[in-house]
Amino acid sequence: MGEPMPPFDLSSTEFWTSLLVALVGGGGVGAIIGAISSRRKDTADIAAKACDILTDSVIKPLREQVESQEEQIQHLEVQQRKYFALAAYTRSLFHWLQTFCEIIEPDFLANHPKPRLPDELRADIAPETLKEES
């Protein structure tokens, strides 16, 4: 007997014709298209999952942090308004006391001079006393 024949001959026209007919007729092209579509769907699913992970692990915490900071800023603004009101009231009260002391004891301020307002507080407490820079 002769040599055994290989299961198929890649150089034969019949092999390639049979393969082409099998692919087209047997759904091979459909399988290839399905595989490509499935791969695109898998890629879309992976992208969607990555987006969800990004949203949950980065964007959501950042939004929560921004909301928390907005609340803190609002609280600080309320506290600042209270501070300015308190400073204005205290200033008015001390001016009233100064007048009272001058009436009761005219030499009081000469003997007990009023403390100097620190420069770092002047803009908040007594902005009208700031010198205009030309």
Side-chain angles (χ1 to χ4, degrees), residues 8-55:
F8 46 86
D9 181 14
L10 294 177
S11 63
S12 82
T13 308
E14 287 118 15
F15 169 77
W16 289 110
T17 304
S18 299
L19 180 65
L20 184 61
V21 169
L23 285 174
V24 172
V29 173
I32 291 171
I33 292 171
I36 291 171
S37 296
S38 174
R39 183 173 175 175
R40 286 186 182 163
K41 183 179 181 285
D42 291 344
T43 303
D45 289 344
I46 291 169
K49 288 178 185 174
C51 186
D52 291 344
I53 291 169
L54 180 66
T55 299

Side-chain angles (χ1 to χ4, degrees), residues 97-112:
L97 284 173
Q98 176 183 343
T99 305
F100 179 77
C101 289
E102 289 171 348
I103 293 169
I104 300 298
E105 187 178 336
D107 294 334
F108 180 82
L109 284 177
N111 297 328
H112 308 283

